[in-house]
Amino acid sequence: SVASGSTWFALPAAYPVEANSAVQVVQGLPPDSAILVVFDFEPATAGEMEASAAGLLDHLLLLQHPRLALISTTPTGSVLAERFMSQTLRERAYARGAQYVDLGYLPGGLSGVQFFAQNVRAAMPLGAATDPVWASPILSDIDALSDFRALIVLTDSVEGGSRWIEQTIGHRGSAPMLIIGSAQSGPMLLPYFDAGQVLSREREIDIW
């Protein structure tokens, strides 16, 4: 399903990637954009989440060659993120330090996401390998959350999706947010969006 403004389109979970309006968002991004990808799922759902995200992320990398910043909100998220890049998206041959950086694990739940939204560099001063990721050319033009051209959240929980929506809504500027949910979390997020708690004409949130 896709939410854009106040208009809703219900789509089956296996709807072809080419027909989903999230692809239009991806295709509208400028080449070489800096994009934040959030890994907010547990190892138990990794297979489902990787399968759900593979089509859209592969489409994005193939067409737009973005610079990626990965961040996780679970202790095992960095490992899952690296596996996703090296295995699920291996055909794109994205290399850590060259086309993407791993910001690492963001602790603190809701308050951690809130702090990150307010000050990305202070919240995550070093990367997953305690490397100075903000000195990398990949993030040279990123000083605030609103500098990312899009946010993509991979989540297996309603709490994870709503946390990123609520805590970033005043900080992401005009950047679209794409939510890639599990079979369990996706349908449960629809009423949340439909209540109009986070949508406005200036911001776009798509559920994949």
Side-chain angles (χ1 to χ4, degrees), residues 9 30-31 48 50 54 59 62 67 100 117 147 149 154 161 171 176 180-181 187 195 197-198:
F9 304 93
E48 177 189 357
E50 289 168 356
H59 195 68
L62 178 64
R67 293 168 285 133
Y100 77 92
D147 291 329
R149 297 304 296 263
L154 284 62
H171 302 279
I180 301 177
Q197 298 177 32
V198 296

Side-chain angles (χ1 to χ4, degrees), residues 73-163:
T73 46
T74 63
T76 57
S78 287
V79 175
L80 298 176
E82 292 296 333
R83 186 177 81 168
F84 185 78
M85 297 302 300
S86 64
Q87 296 185 24
T88 306
L89 298 180
R90 60 183 177 275
E91 291 187 7
R92 300 299 138 235
Y94 259 50
R96 181 172 171 175
Q99 289 88 17
Y100 77 92
V101 297
D102 189 347
L103 298 177
Y105 169 52
L106 175 65
L110 186 148
S111 60
V113 174
Q114 183 182 55
F115 182 29
F116 180 77
Q118 294 171 347
N119 194 328
V120 294
R121 294 191 176 219
M124 302 295 286
L126 298 174
T130 65
D131 49 328
V133 289
W134 299 105
S136 166
I138 298 171
L139 297 180
S140 61
D141 57 347
I142 303 298
D143 293 308
L145 188 66
S146 58
D147 291 329
F148 287 104
R149 297 304 296 263
L151 284 70
I152 302 176
V153 180
L154 284 62
T155 183
D156 61 1
S157 71
V158 177
E159 293 79 7
S162 61
R163 182 165 54 224

Side-chain angles (χ1 to χ4, degrees), residues 32-90:
D32 194 43
S33 294
I35 295 174
L36 180 70
V37 184
V38 178
F39 287 77
D40 183 73
F41 58 88
E42 300 293 340
T45 60
E48 177 189 357
M49 293 305 304
E50 289 168 356
S52 297
L56 185 65
L57 270 294
D58 185 75
H59 195 68
L60 170 64
L61 269 56
L62 178 64
L63 293 182
Q64 309 297 25
H65 309 290
R67 293 168 285 133
L68 302 181
L70 314 182
I71 190 169
S72 59
T73 46
T74 63
T76 57
S78 287
V79 175
L80 298 176
E82 292 296 333
R83 186 177 81 168
F84 185 78
M85 297 302 300
S86 64
Q87 296 185 24
T88 306
L89 298 180
R90 60 183 177 275

